[in-house]
Amino acid sequence: MYTETQIVHNNTKTTVDGALDGTGEMVINVGPQHPATHGVLHLVITLNGETIKKLEPHLGYIHRSIEKMCESLSYRQFIYVTSRMDYLSSHINNHACALTVEKGLQLEIPPRAQVIRVLMDELTRIASHELWWGAMAMDLGAFTPFFYAFRERETITDIMEETCGARLTMNYMVPGGVMYDIHPNFQRRVKDFITLFKSKIDEYNDLVTGNIIFQNRMKGVGKLSAEDAISFGCTGPVARGSGVKSDIRKLFPYEVYDKVEFDEILETEGDSFARYMVRIREMHQSVRIIEQLIDNIPEGDFQAKTKAVLKLPKGEFYTRVETARGELGVYIVSEGGTTPYRIKFRSPGFSNLSALEHMVVGSKLGDLMATMGTLDLVIPDIDR
């Protein structure tokens, strides 16, 4: 779990490779390649026995300067780079960028493209929550759920591959609509998946949610009040697990989200189990959205007519969307050229991670994995 142990005692710090003698504090390093960090995240943790006294995330191990790279690419080209941030929400990342460019161009999107985009977003949300659920259970010692999760997730990625040609970094959303029309099998395969998936969520609950050992590891652990969630800028399931209304699809509807019926899932306990239940219940809502749209995809164009080279007028443009992890904001400053003057991404993972120390100080080291798992961190989303 750690590469170096330090004893802090009488204002001196001595590096040792042994156990703590009970007279001071111990500093351990979790990561940057620990399996529970789900990426290259380095946590420096100060312990008193097994109790966490302090936690410092050290970032930057996978920083690729994506924002600066985007500023040298055209408004068509830069979108593909954003698939590499939160790669489990790549469709939604691309969607946010396309919406921002379209806002600058004042471009009207064909109804068919809008519905296809939302369908892809919600399939992406389910696939992301599936991977989170399997990995979350595995972090707490349950290996079987990981295989259950990937069994259904593979069905979604197969559907994506048939239409988009990719399984992870999609590059399917483009300014004006989507790159290709949906595959002729798309509607049939999505409906077959929804029928299958409804029964599988019950399996997930039987296997994990109702397990008394799992509940004991999660309930009352990693508490985050609504006030603190707002103060730290938390969004997505992390904020909604504390009772904070933060679903961008409800607060600032985009595409056809104002035309479909779904509930914003809120839990008020603010602990790890509440954040867990938000994501489980959100998968039901994604299914509900897909069912309303899959047989009602309008005919017509899947992409608006645009110029080969796009130029945004001089100005500043901002759009926000709801990814599987929370609010993603895209801010573009244009000087009127073919490339952005400045791009800034407001990623949900960075703000959610900032609350981790507040959530775990005073708890046991073993509780850290339960709490960190419910943040659903994707490190490239934080290290941009």
Side-chain angles (χ1 to χ4, degrees):
M1 175 179 289
Y2 58 90
T3 57
E4 183 181 83
T5 306
Q6 296 173 329
I7 291 179
V8 183
H9 187 53
N10 295 331
N11 296 322
T12 62
K13 186 177 290 186
T14 306
T15 300
V16 299
D17 291 318
L20 184 67
D21 63 4
T23 60
E25 293 180 339
M26 181 168 63
V27 177
I28 67 171
N29 298 288
V30 175
Q33 293 179 317
H34 191 281
T37 59
H38 300 286
V40 279
L41 173 65
H42 178 197
L43 301 176
V44 179
I45 305 171
T46 303
L47 297 174
N48 187 338
E50 290 187 26
T51 302
I52 298 173
K53 308 297 290 185
K54 185 179 180 182
L55 182 144
E56 295 179 85
H58 288 197
L59 310 176
Y61 289 90
I62 198 168
H63 179 63
R64 293 153 295 163
S65 196
I66 283 180
E67 291 169 344
K68 188 55 65 177
M69 289 168 59
C70 290
E71 292 166 13
S72 64
L73 299 172
S74 74
Y75 289 107
R76 292 188 187 279
Q77 294 172 329
F78 91 93
I79 292 178
Y80 88 91
V81 179
T82 64
S83 293
R84 279 77 179 167
M85 298 191 308
D86 176 3
Y87 47 79
L88 299 180
S89 294
S90 57
H91 266 311
I92 310 177
N93 296 347
N94 300 159
H95 194 174
C97 296
L99 285 172
T100 312
V101 173
E102 290 156 6
K103 178 182 281 189
L105 295 173
Q106 296 184 338
L107 190 62
E108 186 173 345
I109 310 306
R112 182 176 180 84
Q114 292 187 37
V115 173
I116 292 172
R117 283 176 166 185
V118 170
L119 285 168
M120 290 299 188
D121 283 1
E122 295 309 312
L123 287 170
T124 298
R125 199 178 313 279
I126 294 174
S128 177
H129 285 352
E130 290 253 53
L131 190 148
W132 160 81
W133 178 78
M136 169 89 213
M138 189 164 63
D139 287 346
L140 297 185
F143 197 60
T144 301
F146 193 76
F147 295 105
Y148 276 57
F150 265 76
R151 179 185 60 191
E152 278 72 63
R153 188 176 184 276
E154 280 296 294
T155 305
I156 295 178
T157 53
D158 287 343
I159 294 171
M160 297 289 193
E161 184 178 24
E162 195 169 52
T163 287
C164 309
R167 299 172 69 87
L168 188 68
T169 52
M170 303 300 181
N171 313 323
Y172 183 60
M173 312 285 185
V174 296
V178 293
M179 188 171 288
Y180 317 106
D181 203 355
I182 53 175
H183 192 277
N185 294 335
F186 179 81
Q187 288 171 281
R188 176 185 59 80
R189 294 189 68 178
V190 170
K191 287 190 284 188
D192 289 345
F193 167 75
I194 292 302
T195 301
L196 170 71
F197 186 63
K198 282 181 175 179
S199 65
K200 298 305 179 184
I201 297 182
D202 294 333
E203 279 188 15
Y204 299 167
N205 288 327
D206 291 341
L207 186 65
V208 175
T209 309
N211 186 294
I212 189 63
I213 299 174
F214 180 78
Q215 290 190 13
N216 288 340
R217 291 288 305 272
M218 301 284 280
K219 288 186 175 180
V221 171
K223 294 279 283 188
L224 183 69
S225 69
E227 294 77 14
D228 289 331
I230 294 170
S231 178
F232 282 106
C234 297
T235 57
V238 175
R240 292 192 286 276
S242 298
V244 179
K245 292 185 177 182
S246 61
D247 195 328
I248 303 301
R249 298 170 297 172
K250 285 285 190 182
L251 297 176
F252 307 97
Y254 51 97
E255 304 295 18
V256 295
Y257 279 114
D258 57 345
K259 298 181 176 65
V260 294
E261 294 182 358
F262 68 101
D263 298 326
E264 179 175 6
I265 302 302
L266 297 174
E267 298 282 346
T268 57
E269 290 299 318
D271 59 4
S272 294
F273 193 72
R275 292 186 287 275
Y276 170 88
M277 287 307 303
V278 167
R279 292 187 178 90
I280 293 294
R281 294 173 61 196
E282 273 191 0
M283 288 194 280
H284 285 284
Q285 297 305 315
S286 291
V287 167
R288 187 177 168 192
I289 293 170
I290 292 169
E291 286 182 319
Q292 293 174 64
L293 295 177
I294 192 63
D295 285 324
N296 296 293
I297 303 176
E299 297 296 328
D301 295 331
F302 59 87
Q303 189 178 144
K305 293 181 179 179
T306 58
K307 295 182 179 179
V309 179
L310 301 179
K311 289 185 178 182
L312 261 64
K314 188 173 181 178
E316 302 177 11
F317 310 98
Y318 183 79
T319 303
R320 57 183 72 179
V321 300
E322 184 71 23
T323 74
R325 265 146 289 281
E327 179 184 333
L328 170 66
V330 180
Y331 173 64
I332 296 178
V333 179
S334 171
E335 290 293 317
T338 58
T339 61
Y341 173 74
R342 181 73 175 96
I343 281 187
K344 173 67 178 176
F345 298 112
R346 188 271 181 210
S347 69
F350 187 87
S351 297
N352 291 343
L353 176 62
S354 70
L356 180 60
E357 181 182 28
H358 177 78
M359 296 160 71
V360 300
V361 165
S363 62
K364 302 298 184 185
L365 182 61
D367 295 330
L368 171 63
M369 301 312 165
T371 303
M372 188 163 57
T374 58
L375 295 183
D376 193 13
L377 300 175
V378 174
I379 307 306
D381 176 55
I382 299 168
D383 276 356
R384 296 180 307 284

